[in-house]
Amino acid sequence: SGINAEYEAVVSTQSTGFQTFQHYFKRINLRMAVSRSKALQITLQGIKRINLSFCPFDRYHGTGEVREYYNNVTDRRVKESNPQCEVNIAVKHDDSPPSINIVYEDGDERWYNPRTQSLHHIKEEIHLETRRKLAEKDIPVDYGIKWRY
């Protein structure tokens, strides 16, 4: 229904003129602004350990994502959501690929490869998995801070 309405708005621009065309693009810009303003909230609740590794001399994509994620999870306000969560970072010099490893309190372990996944996608997967695990235990989610992505 949304696609048809957008198509009809574009088709109507041909017959009604510039004003409808302007209205259509205002709607699109508003929708884009709303989607940009939705923030992914990071919490360390339910996470036991985060292991990050990267090679600073790696000439491929992915090292910057690990560094940025490290900055996100070590922020003071995010750490307050779970002070017992260990954040380990390993700086390697063996051209090994960068990796993000999340160990949850129930022992479940997830590996993410920043070379093949964007940081946005990795954060989103971690966010959804954390929320799912907390919902199973009926624990309310306590967010530390909102991060825009």
Side-chain angles (χ1 to χ4, degrees), residues 5-149:
E6 290 176 5
Y7 175 74
E8 289 170 12
V10 170
V11 171
S12 69
T13 59
Q14 296 170 356
S15 60
T16 60
F18 186 70
Q19 206 163 19
T20 308
F21 186 72
Q22 269 186 328
H23 175 70
Y24 172 71
F25 279 103
K26 282 182 183 175
R27 278 186 30 221
I28 286 181
N29 289 338
L30 180 63
R31 187 178 306 132
M32 288 171 57
V34 167
S35 67
R36 269 189 247 125
S37 70
K38 288 181 182 175
L40 179 65
Q41 297 173 321
I42 294 179
T43 181
L44 298 180
Q45 204 176 7
I47 297 177
K48 184 177 182 180
R49 189 177 331 113
I50 299 174
N51 298 318
L52 308 168
S53 68
F54 71 95
C55 176
F57 306 111
D58 189 10
R59 63 180 187 260
Y60 299 107
H61 178 71
T63 300
E65 281 80 355
V66 174
R67 290 179 179 185
E68 185 178 341
Y69 188 71
Y70 176 75
N71 289 335
N72 292 349
V73 297
T74 55
D75 185 271
R76 176 187 53 83
R77 293 169 289 184
V78 173
K79 275 301 262 183
E80 287 174 359
S81 66
N82 183 3
Q84 289 83 27
C85 178
E86 298 175 30
V87 180
N88 305 317
I89 187 159
V91 180
K92 299 181 177 182
H93 301 286
D94 56 0
D95 288 332
S96 60
S99 67
I100 298 174
N101 177 21
I102 308 292
V103 180
Y104 292 95
E105 289 179 352
D106 63 356
D108 191 17
E109 192 170 347
R110 304 285 172 139
W111 288 87
Y112 301 98
N113 184 356
R115 280 192 185 165
T116 58
Q117 294 176 306
S118 68
L119 185 59
H120 163 79
H121 187 256
I122 293 170
K123 285 181 182 179
E124 195 171 69
E125 280 190 26
I126 293 169
H127 176 73
L128 293 173
E129 185 65 23
T130 302
R131 286 191 58 163
R132 186 185 65 77
K133 288 182 179 295
L134 293 174
E136 286 176 355
K137 298 178 183 177
D138 292 327
I139 299 173
V141 180
D142 174 31
Y143 295 108
I145 189 171
K146 293 183 179 183
W147 287 98
R148 299 191 184 283
Y149 64 94

